[in-house]
């Protein structure tokens, strides 16, 4: 599959489940902007059956190469980012995995038993990155239990393999050419910005500035019934040139650490104005 088809398929799934993200995309396009994607991100567990390297296979097979690695001590995550070998306009791919050994025995047992349920035929296919939750219909009780130790794991347990977020390249916007302008635009349309440690993560000195909306709230079918929980979010990134005049292409762990919190649990009443 040509790599653009992979991103198109991921985008279709993403906007289908996250109409709030599609609404932002449409607002930019309606304002004359061409939305270019800076990167997408996936989450997984560090179990060797489904870890970063397993999810990366389809990208490696389609012209991508590993570019850098990152550690997030507080969240117990490890990540790699991948870039296309020849197409500079291809979005970057950021894949993180949660380090299960750092969590309680009960937490590890829950995750292991879920991974054991996966039909192994699904693991070595190009479809894995679109497959969503391939372990089981989620339990709200387990979601809440996992959330006590890791919001990241609770989200992943429910939603599985999909683009956790797409990212608007602010470098490619004409009118909204700064993160400040983008954030004002979003707030004017009643979107909630992730404000953990400030609405803008990073700085021109760090060569990358980022912001994100808080994930939209969707109704999910759990074993116990339907519950509203945060799904996926949309991110915005502006990159700067280094002293050699080369546009910075990596990620800043300190910033990404806080962006991860865009999927943290919150209640819908905070965003009643958003028509989703
Ligand atoms: Ni991101």
């Amino acid at each position: 599959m040509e790599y653009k088809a992979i991103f198109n398929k991921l985008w279709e799934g993403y906007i289908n489940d996250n109409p709030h993200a599609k609404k932002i995309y449409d607002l930019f396009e309606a304002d004359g902007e061409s939305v270019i994607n800076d990167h997408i991100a996936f989450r997984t567990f560090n179990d060797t059956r489904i870890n970063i390297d397993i999810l990366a296979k389809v990208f490696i097979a389609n012209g991508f190469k590993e570019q850098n690695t990152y550690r997030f001590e507080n969240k117990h995550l490890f990540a790699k980012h991948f870039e296309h070998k020849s197409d500079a306009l291809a979005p970057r791919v950021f894949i993180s995995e949660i380090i299960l050994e750092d969590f309680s025995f009960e937490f590890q047992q829950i995750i292991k038993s879920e991974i054991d349920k996966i039909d192994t035929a699904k693991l070595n296919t190009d479809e894995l990155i679109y497959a969503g939750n391939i372990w089981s219909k989620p339990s709200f009780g387990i979601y809440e239990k996992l959330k006590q130790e890791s919001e990241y794991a609770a989200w992943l347990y429910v939603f599985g393999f999909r683009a956790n977020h797409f990212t608007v390249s602010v470098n490619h916007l004409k009118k909204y050419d700064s993160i400040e302008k983008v954030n004002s635009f979003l707030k004017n349309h009643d979107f909630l910005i992730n404000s953990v440690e400030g609405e803008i993560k990073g700085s021109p000195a760090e060569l990358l500035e980022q912001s994100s909306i808080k994930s939209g709230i969707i109704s999910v079918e759990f074993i116990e019934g339907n519950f509203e929980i945060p799904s996926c979010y949309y991110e915005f990134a502006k990159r700067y040139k280094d002293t050699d005049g080369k546009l910075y292409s990596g990620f800043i762990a300190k910033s990404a650490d806080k962006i991860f919190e865009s999927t943290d649990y919150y209640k819908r009443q905070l965003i009643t104005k958003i028509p989703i």
Side-chain angles (χ1 to χ4, degrees), residues 23-86:
K23 188 179 176 204
I24 293 172
Y25 177 92
D26 288 344
L27 285 167
F28 277 127
E29 293 273 329
D31 214 355
E33 300 286 3
S34 295
V35 176
I36 302 291
N37 185 23
D38 180 273
H39 68 271
I40 59 168
F42 294 90
R43 294 180 174 184
T44 193
F45 300 106
N46 71 338
D47 187 293
T48 52
R49 291 169 284 180
I50 53 167
N51 65 14
I52 292 174
D53 295 333
I54 301 291
L55 286 185
K57 272 185 187 173
V58 66
F59 293 102
I60 299 291
N62 283 279
F64 282 73
K65 67 175 193 306
E66 185 181 321
Q67 199 69 26
N68 215 337
T69 61
Y70 307 88
R71 284 186 188 283
F72 304 90
E73 302 293 339
N74 295 335
K75 292 195 169 54
H76 306 283
L77 303 173
F78 174 67
K80 293 181 179 180
H81 106 251
F82 302 83
E83 290 184 20
H84 197 273
K85 287 184 218 164
S86 57

Side-chain angles (χ1 to χ4, degrees), residues 141-154:
I142 290 179
Y143 170 75
E144 291 208 298
K145 195 183 284 279
L146 293 174
K147 194 150 64 65
Q148 289 169 12
E149 293 192 51
S150 166
E151 288 267 3
Y152 175 107

Side-chain angles (χ1 to χ4, degrees), residues 41-271:
F42 294 90
R43 294 180 174 184
T44 193
F45 300 106
N46 71 338
D47 187 293
T48 52
R49 291 169 284 180
I50 53 167
N51 65 14
I52 292 174
D53 295 333
I54 301 291
L55 286 185
K57 272 185 187 173
V58 66
F59 293 102
I60 299 291
N62 283 279
F64 282 73
K65 67 175 193 306
E66 185 181 321
Q67 199 69 26
N68 215 337
T69 61
Y70 307 88
R71 284 186 188 283
F72 304 90
E73 302 293 339
N74 295 335
K75 292 195 169 54
H76 306 283
L77 303 173
F78 174 67
K80 293 181 179 180
H81 106 251
F82 302 83
E83 290 184 20
H84 197 273
K85 287 184 218 164
S86 57
D87 187 346
L89 269 181
R92 298 154 190 83
V93 177
F94 183 93
I95 310 178
S96 57
E97 63 187 18
I98 191 160
I99 300 159
L100 293 171
E101 309 83 83
D102 289 356
F103 291 86
S104 72
F105 179 72
E106 188 186 11
F107 181 104
Q108 293 183 48
Q109 288 303 108
I110 291 170
I111 302 304
K112 186 179 178 302
S113 77
E114 292 298 325
I115 297 170
D116 287 345
K117 292 175 192 165
I118 300 173
D119 171 2
T120 51
K122 289 185 177 169
L123 291 177
N124 288 306
T125 72
D126 288 353
E127 298 300 306
L128 186 64
I129 57 168
Y130 319 102
N133 173 337
I134 50 168
W135 24 91
S136 63
K137 184 173 184 177
S139 146
F140 193 70
I142 290 179
Y143 170 75
E144 291 208 298
K145 195 183 284 279
L146 293 174
K147 194 150 64 65
Q148 289 169 12
E149 293 192 51
S150 166
E151 288 267 3
Y152 175 107
W155 184 93
L156 175 58
Y157 163 70
V158 173
F159 294 106
F161 304 130
R162 62 182 61 218
N164 164 270
H165 61 274
F166 273 71
T167 310
V168 174
S169 168
V170 176
N171 296 70
H172 290 89
L173 298 180
K174 301 185 291 278
K175 193 162 142 194
Y176 302 96
D177 59 353
S178 69
I179 293 282
E180 286 88 347
K181 287 181 193 170
V182 167
N183 285 354
S184 299
F185 177 74
L186 296 168
K187 283 190 272 191
N188 287 341
H189 286 94
D190 296 325
F191 287 95
L192 271 186
I193 311 277
N194 168 346
S195 59
V196 182
E197 293 193 3
E199 292 184 348
I200 300 176
K201 278 75 172 169
S203 64
E206 290 167 293
L207 307 180
L208 176 62
E209 288 180 299
Q210 290 163 278
S211 72
S212 60
I213 56 163
K214 288 168 81 74
S215 290
I217 302 285
I218 65 166
S219 182
V220 173
E221 198 183 332
F222 288 90
I223 292 170
E224 300 91 335
N226 279 43
F227 292 87
E228 294 193 328
I229 65 167
S231 56
C232 300
Y233 59 95
Y234 214 169
E235 187 179 312
F236 311 89
K238 181 166 182 178
R239 299 181 178 279
Y240 292 85
K241 287 178 179 165
D242 62 20
T243 47
D244 296 331
K246 193 168 175 293
L247 199 65
Y248 180 68
S249 190
F251 293 86
I252 309 289
K254 183 163 62 72
S255 301
D257 189 77
K258 302 298 173 243
I259 297 267
F260 279 122
E261 297 179 20
S262 304
T263 58
D264 283 9
Y265 183 78
Y266 70 105
K267 289 193 191 306
R268 184 197 281 276
Q269 40 267 46
L270 285 169
I271 53 161

